[in-house]
Amino acid sequence: MPFGNTHNNFKLNFKVEDEIPDLSKHNNHMAKVLTKEIYGKLRDKQTPSGYTLDDVIQTGVDNPGHPFIMTVGCVAGDEESYDIFKDLLDPIISDRHGGYKPTDKHPTDMNFENLKGGDDLDPNYVLSSRVRTGRSIKGYTLPPHNSRGERRAIEKLSVEALTSLDGEFKGRYYPLKSMTDAEQDQLINDHFLFDKPVSPLLTCAGMARDWPDGRGIWHNDAKSFLVWVNEEDHLRVIAMEQGGNMREVFRRFCVGLKRIEEIFKGHNHGFMWNEHLGYVLTCPSNLGTGLRGGVHVKLPNLSKHAKFDEILGRLRLQKRGTGGVDTASVGGVFDISNADRLGSSEVAQVQLVVDGVKLMVEMEKKLEKGEAIDSMIPAQK
Amino acid sequence: MASTFTRMIAGRYPAALLASLGAGTVAGGLLLSDSALFAEGKRSLYPPSADFPDLRKHSNCMAAALTPAIYARLRDQVTPQNWTLDQCIQTGVDNPGHPFIKTVGAVAGDEETYEVFAELFDPIIKDRHNGYDPRTMKHPTDLDASKITNGVFDEKYVLSSRVRTGRSIRGLSLPPACSRSERREVERVVVTALAGLKGELAGRYYGLGDMSDKEQQQLIDDHFLFDKPVSPLLTCAFMARDWPDARGIWHNHEKNFLIWVNEEDHTRVISMEKGGNMKRVFERFCTGLKQVEQLIHERGWEFMWNERLGYILTCPSNLGTGLRAGVHVRLPILSKDTRFSKILENLRLQKRGTGGVDTAATGDTFDISNNDRLGKSEVELVQQLVDGVNYLIDCEKKLEKGQEIKVPFPVAQFKKY
């Protein structure tokens, strides 16, 4: 909640034992890490904008566990959350991001030319390619915490930046609250529209407040580059197209983001970034690159193979249903994307997707012919 | 006994006591802190006009009452427990309108909400409670069940009878605002008091987090179990936080008196039984309430109540008596009559589906209850319900015989004191 959380000072009148959440039935990163000592140490802290420990962890308290994946169970309310609450967040980040240490540095590489290959994924199998990330705008608090005034300012600034783009990026903004039915249907058909969050992971973190005020979708005329404004992050930037040309998608992604960043910097509101955590986003799981590069790919045979999950693990990839996170696969088509976010660069992560998907398509073809794939199973990347 | 601190804030002037206890040091701390400077900066960068919610598509009492001027005056105020206006109205901003009924769109975080934010809550109360003016009027409380007449219905039509209300424990924040320790304290206070009930009211508490599957199934079969709120009206008002911590159900062994702990209010008190003996249901209701009140008094606690607003509850719609007295009644012929709604309206009754609020009626059985909560006493409202239901049954019987029915004159509004 905006402008300073004086309510927290009132809670300090009660003892730690009385205030600490009961996490005995919980299974998320926050519940694994939070101890009475950490709670006691951090409960009287707040960030300059008034975000407190209880704010950080509320979503994890309210959501004991997720059937498909181990959830993080906490969010940041602003850039400073990652600093003020580091005693809680550093171990969670380490747990979630493969042992990433508080002293580690995160490499950023948005130079698409460093990607090898990626333009030749077989379109008979790879139906579509997509790269997304998030960006937070310095000087504003994040979606769990921001006030209506801040959210509107973020929208205003974002729309100014985006509508000044030209060439392949020329496009238009559609605010959620004033979209016509026709526009809405079109955006749904294009698979662009995002809706009010229903997942309690997001609603319990306060991210759906005041919906749809200040939210909207911008996309270019070619419908290959789009930006969500004020959903789970300030900005979610997405490049996508049908078919398997991940290389082109990544190029457009990098070029577009660079242009956008320059415009924001010109307004003295660059993106939140630091050497240790890379790009700072609402959910600790998206720190680093915030990048999820993925394809929708037909793997009806490989997905039934006993070693499918092991192969994915070794390739540092994850599978989702074609409806995105929280969905199951339909008709043997999977959403395959990079699992990592922090500790490796954008180029490196997309490279893993490109190489990994190429290999899996080859495995699929072999299995179609009734051949074995044991010799193709890769070493751990 | 209540701890020293809680006894202090349970006193008559919680605002003054809290101010002397903590606010001084808090203010001193704030003046030096980053957050105070940040907050100051933000306030000038984002004046109230920048934060005023867009309510153009909204249809609830809060949206009708909130003006930019009121928002500007109240945005930076806090109650002694540091609850803010934005927190009160969040549920109304997030929920533009309800298909079945005009929702209130604002909740209280504590007793003082109704004072500190009176400029918004007074018009909401007026709107919701038929013009009741908290500035000039007094609310009558009367829990003498012996005054009820004709309170036993024809069981050919009335399947069950029920009376519910809520009670809040003075000195502890309400469900939208309470911290985990406050909520646990409510549970402790209430459960300790209920353990003192005897005779036909003696019973047992079931904590939501600890109940066995068997106990859970039994409570579902008895129609007692309440579950985590799914209605966005409640979840957007922060009432489902930390679920199921410190929530539970207490009921007597006879299974006709039960109490919900920490759902939408600190307590919801329910008396119910099959059949049409509303008088007995109300008698048990009043006896039970009085005994519970006595038991918490013995430990230094009291219910939130004042002359202007009666019993203080989370939702402004439940102020006054917080009382909903109702029956499940079969009205197969009357319910299809075009005059049905008007008859209900004039009797000051409302119909709901048998699943409760937010459900539609199935078949011929309706949940019929009183509309009003504030400005009339418990006895008056229950009598009104009794007279109304008797009238409806009479209409049904007449229609069965092909006789004519009349739409009754509207029931008189509350006396303006």
Side-chain angles (χ1 to χ4, degrees):
Chain A
M1 285 282 151
F3 301 161
N5 191 345
T6 46
H7 193 58
N8 195 58
N9 292 330
F10 175 71
K11 283 188 235 173
L12 296 176
N13 293 312
F14 298 90
K15 298 198 287 256
V16 171
E17 298 76 54
D18 290 334
E19 271 300 339
I20 197 164
D22 178 357
L23 301 174
S24 50
K25 297 194 178 117
H26 286 58
N27 177 40
N28 55 50
H29 286 294
M30 181 278 293
K32 279 176 69 181
V33 168
L34 187 71
T35 61
K36 195 165 150 217
E37 290 64 42
I38 294 178
Y39 190 82
K41 186 171 177 204
L42 296 179
R43 68 190 291 235
D44 63 348
K45 308 270 179 296
Q46 46 184 350
T47 66
S49 75
Y51 207 61
T52 66
L53 179 67
D54 275 339
D55 294 328
V56 170
I57 67 174
Q58 191 66 54
T59 179
V61 177
D62 289 344
N63 296 290
H66 193 274
F68 289 153
I69 54 182
M70 172 111 159
T71 49
V72 174
C74 59
V75 291
D78 50 24
E79 197 167 3
E80 295 84 353
S81 296
Y82 287 105
D83 189 46
I84 303 282
F85 303 111
K86 62 195 332 220
D87 288 338
L88 172 71
L89 294 174
D90 278 350
I92 289 177
I93 287 168
S94 174
D95 215 357
R96 177 62 175 214
H97 294 284
Y100 195 77
K101 298 192 286 296
T103 48
D104 283 339
K105 299 250 186 301
H106 168 80
T108 293
D109 182 358
M110 291 279 292
N111 197 339
F112 65 92
E113 273 155 13
N114 291 339
L115 183 71
K116 299 193 198 47
D119 51 357
D120 58 352
L121 299 173
D122 188 338
N124 292 314
Y125 293 84
V126 178
L127 307 176
S128 59
S129 308
R130 179 185 188 266
V131 181
R132 70 86 160 149
T133 188
R135 291 288 185 263
S136 308
I137 304 169
K138 235 175 144 57
Y140 298 106
T141 59
L142 297 171
H145 189 39
N146 55 23
S147 66
R148 283 179 290 273
E150 277 190 295
R151 201 185 298 113
R152 291 162 179 169
I154 292 162
E155 185 190 33
K156 185 155 178 277
L157 185 57
S158 302
V159 172
E160 251 182 70
L162 294 166
T163 49
S164 71
L165 293 174
D166 60 6
E168 57 170 327
F169 296 107
K170 185 162 177 311
R172 221 196 102 170
Y173 182 68
Y174 301 84
L176 243 58
K177 71 174 168 184
S178 50
M179 185 177 288
T180 64
D181 284 344
E183 287 167 345
Q184 187 175 289
D185 286 340
Q186 187 58 54
L187 287 164
I188 291 173
N189 291 336
D190 293 328
H191 304 285
F192 282 178
L193 189 65
F194 67 92
D195 207 359
K196 181 168 178 175
V198 290
S199 166
L201 300 177
L202 298 184
T203 56
C204 294
M207 294 196 236
R209 285 174 301 125
D210 315 312
W211 203 274
D213 198 317
R215 276 85 167 190
I217 293 172
W218 178 95
H219 70 76
N220 66 350
D221 297 334
K223 293 189 181 178
S224 57
F225 189 75
L226 75 138
V227 179
W228 292 353
V229 179
N230 284 321
E231 194 236 11
E232 181 185 333
D233 281 292
H234 288 168
L235 304 173
R236 281 289 177 97
V237 180
I238 301 151
M240 59 202 258
E241 61 184 56
Q242 304 284 19
N245 195 345
M246 181 59 94
R247 187 182 182 80
E248 164 58 17
V249 170
F250 188 52
R251 181 207 66 81
R252 192 180 320 118
F253 175 83
C254 293
V255 172
L257 263 173
K258 192 152 188 241
R259 297 247 187 110
I260 295 172
E261 184 166 18
E262 272 155 24
I263 301 171
F264 276 103
K265 275 199 183 133
H267 283 89
N268 286 323
H269 279 286
F271 294 147
M272 289 183 197
W273 179 93
N274 66 56
E275 278 196 312
H276 166 53
L277 295 177
Y279 288 102
V280 175
L281 294 175
T282 302
C283 182
S285 70
N286 282 320
L287 291 166
T289 61
L291 186 144
R292 193 171 92 83
V295 299
H296 281 188
V297 56
K298 283 196 266 199
L299 300 170
N301 293 299
L302 182 60
S303 58
K304 293 196 195 71
H305 194 282
K307 293 219 161 112
F308 183 45
D309 285 334
E310 193 187 327
I311 293 168
L312 286 172
R314 291 188 182 198
L315 292 173
R316 310 200 64 77
L317 299 176
Q318 61 171 215
K319 70 179 195 257
R320 298 183 183 191
T322 49
V325 75
D326 294 356
T327 67
S329 137
V330 172
V333 180
F334 285 82
D335 175 316
I336 303 290
S337 63
N338 55 296
D340 305 322
R341 304 272 186 273
L342 179 63
S344 55
S345 74
E346 288 79 357
V347 167
Q349 288 168 9
V350 176
Q351 192 70 64
L352 283 171
V353 175
V354 158
D355 296 345
V357 169
K358 202 158 182 204
L359 178 64
M360 290 199 294
V361 167
E362 253 141 66
M363 288 179 168
E364 178 69 22
K365 287 174 174 168
K366 277 239 146 74
L367 288 172
E368 270 172 27
K369 292 189 239 155
E371 292 168 20
I373 56 165
D374 298 324
S375 56
M376 295 170 78
I377 292 180
Q380 177 67 54
K381 295 239 171 267
Chain B
M1 291 293 276
S3 74
T4 316
F5 173 72
T6 47
R7 286 218 63 173
M8 284 175 74
I9 62 174
R12 208 163 272 285
Y13 302 108
L17 284 165
L18 267 171
S20 60
L21 177 75
T25 22
V26 164
L30 274 181
L31 282 170
L32 301 171
S33 77
D34 282 340
S35 6
L37 295 169
F38 186 98
E40 264 317 299
K42 283 287 173 168
R43 265 186 268 277
S44 40
L45 198 58
Y46 300 102
S49 53
D51 274 336
F52 188 73
D54 182 351
L55 301 172
R56 287 171 296 173
K57 295 194 180 122
H58 286 58
S59 152
N60 54 51
C61 298
M62 180 278 292
L66 186 69
T67 65
I70 293 178
Y71 186 75
R73 282 191 286 273
L74 297 182
R75 186 194 68 168
D76 300 331
Q77 307 301 317
V78 287
T79 68
Q81 283 73 246
N82 300 315
W83 186 245
T84 67
L85 180 73
D86 276 331
Q87 289 164 316
C88 291
I89 66 173
Q90 190 66 58
T91 180
V93 177
D94 289 343
N95 297 289
H98 193 273
F100 291 154
I101 53 182
K102 183 171 178 188
T103 47
V104 174
V107 291
D110 47 33
E111 191 167 2
E112 294 81 359
T113 295
Y114 290 106
E115 268 321 295
V116 174
F117 304 117
E119 209 183 335
L120 174 65
F121 278 88
D122 284 352
I124 289 178
I125 289 167
K126 246 189 183 159
D127 188 3
R128 179 58 178 221
H129 295 283
N130 314 306
Y132 185 88
D133 183 355
R135 293 296 124 200
T136 58
M137 293 163 71
K138 288 201 180 56
H139 169 79
T141 293
D142 184 356
L143 286 161
D144 181 358
S146 66
K147 294 178 182 163
I148 299 297
T149 58
N150 304 315
V152 183
F153 303 119
D154 185 339
E155 298 197 349
K156 185 159 165 256
Y157 302 90
V158 173
L159 309 175
S160 60
S161 309
R162 180 183 187 267
V163 182
R164 69 87 158 149
T165 188
R167 291 289 186 265
S168 311
I169 309 294
R170 175 162 279 161
L172 295 166
S173 303
L174 296 171
C178 64
S179 69
R180 280 179 290 273
S181 53
E182 288 183 284
R183 201 186 294 113
R184 291 162 180 171
E185 184 72 2
V186 168
E187 188 187 35
R188 260 194 299 273
V189 170
V190 173
V191 172
T192 308
L194 293 171
L197 289 174
K198 299 190 184 8
E200 63 151 6
L201 292 178
R204 222 200 100 165
Y205 182 68
Y206 303 84
L208 238 58
D210 318 312
M211 65 176 66
S212 67
D213 286 343
K214 192 153 162 281
E215 287 166 343
Q216 186 174 289
Q217 195 53 52
Q218 187 60 55
L219 287 166
I220 291 173
D221 295 338
D222 292 329
H223 304 286
F224 283 176
L225 189 64
F226 67 90
D227 207 357
K228 182 168 178 176
V230 291
S231 166
L233 300 178
L234 299 186
T235 56
C236 294
F238 322 112
M239 294 199 233
R241 287 172 303 126
D242 315 313
W243 203 273
D245 198 312
R247 271 84 166 192
I249 292 170
W250 179 97
H251 69 76
N252 65 350
H253 301 309
E254 316 264 336
K255 293 189 181 177
N256 52 27
F257 188 67
L258 77 138
I259 296 180
W260 292 352
V261 179
N262 285 319
E263 193 235 11
E264 181 185 332
D265 280 293
H266 284 173
T267 65
R268 283 290 178 94
V269 180
I270 301 150
S271 170
M272 60 201 257
E273 59 183 65
K274 291 246 180 285
N277 199 337
M278 179 58 90
K279 180 156 171 122
R280 184 168 61 205
V281 167
F282 187 51
E283 279 167 348
R284 188 183 317 117
F285 177 82
C286 295
T287 305
L289 272 171
K290 291 203 196 97
Q291 288 190 15
V292 172
E293 187 162 21
Q294 174 60 31
L295 286 161
I296 66 166
H297 276 177
E298 284 167 10
R299 288 165 180 80
W301 296 94
E302 49 185 12
F303 291 143
M304 290 185 195
W305 180 93
N306 67 51
E307 279 195 311
R308 300 178 309 111
L309 297 175
Y311 288 101
I312 305 294
L313 294 174
T314 302
C315 181
S317 70
N318 282 321
L319 290 166
T321 60
L323 186 141
R324 192 171 92 85
V327 296
H328 281 187
V329 57
R330 288 189 330 103
L331 300 167
I333 311 175
L334 179 61
S335 59
K336 294 188 190 59
D337 193 298
T338 50
R339 293 165 289 184
F340 185 41
S341 291
K342 188 66 181 158
I343 294 172
L344 287 175
E345 190 191 312
N346 285 2
L347 293 172
R348 303 218 54 74
L349 298 176
Q350 60 174 225
K351 70 176 196 268
R352 299 182 183 191
T354 50
V357 76
D358 293 355
T359 67
T362 49
D364 313 318
T365 308
F366 292 84
D367 176 323
I368 302 288
S369 64
N370 55 297
N371 253 340
D372 305 325
R373 306 269 185 272
L374 175 65
K376 287 183 177 170
S377 74
E378 289 82 354
V379 165
E380 286 175 281
L381 290 176
V382 172
Q383 191 63 59
Q384 211 170 276
L385 181 275
V386 162
D387 295 343
V389 170
N390 279 327
Y391 193 93
L392 293 172
I393 293 173
D394 196 63
C395 287
E396 182 72 22
K397 285 176 171 167
K398 287 200 161 80
L399 290 171
E400 276 172 20
K401 299 192 208 119
Q403 289 170 359
E404 253 315 298
I405 62 168
K406 281 214 258 295
V407 174
F409 284 124
V411 166
Q413 277 303 356
F414 40 75
K415 306 193 244 322
K416 300 197 200 284
Y417 285 80

